[in-house]
């Protein structure tokens, strides 16, 4: 606090005078400092630049924090969207899997029915062929037996026993073999008779 003494009033003693001088020096020092501060353009520019740097640094920190916050928000939204898409894909996959399984079971059932139908038809055809083959075998057997009896007279005596056995136990293969042997024997006998 500065106390000004009114003009014309002097100090009332040496101590008071010293005090007034000290006070005046202090006031002049403040005034000089203020004047020097105003005159120091470079210093003020530096101070202003430092102030701007501080503000820019604070703004940079604030922008980085805002960008990080926005990045986290975007990351969360992307994660939620990814989970939603993943859930939808899983549901679609399960639906397709269920449809494929139903179609597979339906195809399996149809194939089984078709297989049973073909198996039944094949069995019927097999029985029919077996019956026809048996009839044809009996017919061949009967003819072979008739041919064997008719050839028996022309077959030489040693082969007649084999011919009779073939006729008594006529299997289709045996009957044909016996008939072939009888024909060969008859041919040999005929040649012998004609070459004498």
């Amino acid at each position: 606090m500065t106390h000004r003494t009114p003009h014309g009033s002097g100090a009332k003693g040496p101590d008071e005078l010293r005090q007034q001088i000290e006070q005046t020096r202090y006031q002049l020092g403040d005034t000089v400092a203020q004047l020097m501060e105003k005159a120091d353009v470079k210093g003020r520019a530096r101070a202003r630049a430092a102030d701007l740097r501080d503000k820019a640094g604070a703004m940079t920190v604030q922008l980085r924090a805002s960008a990080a916050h926005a990045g986290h928000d975007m990351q969360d939204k992307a994660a939620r969207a990814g989970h939603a898409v993943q859930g939808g894909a899983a549901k679609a996959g399960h639906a397709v899997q269920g449809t494929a399984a139903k179609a597979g079971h339906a195809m399996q059932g149809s194939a089984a029915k078709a297989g049973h139908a073909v198996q039944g038809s094949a069995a019927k055809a097999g029985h029919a062929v077996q019956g026809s083959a048996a009839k044809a075998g009996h017919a061949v057997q009967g003819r072979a037996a008739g041919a064997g009896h008719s050839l028996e007279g022309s077959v030489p005596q040693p082969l007649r026993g084999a011919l009779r056995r073939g006729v008594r136990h006529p299997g289709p293969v045996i009957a044909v073999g016996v008939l072939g042997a009888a024909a060969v024997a008859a041919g040999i006998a005929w040649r012998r008779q004609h070459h004498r």
Side-chain angles (χ1 to χ4, degrees), residues 37 39-49:
E37 193 176 308
D40 187 16
V41 176
K42 286 183 181 179
R44 284 191 307 173
R46 281 190 212 117
R48 179 79 176 142

Side-chain angles (χ1 to χ4, degrees), residues 11-21:
K12 294 189 179 175
D15 288 332
E16 192 177 330
L17 183 63
R18 279 190 205 119
Q19 190 179 9
Q20 286 177 354
I21 291 170

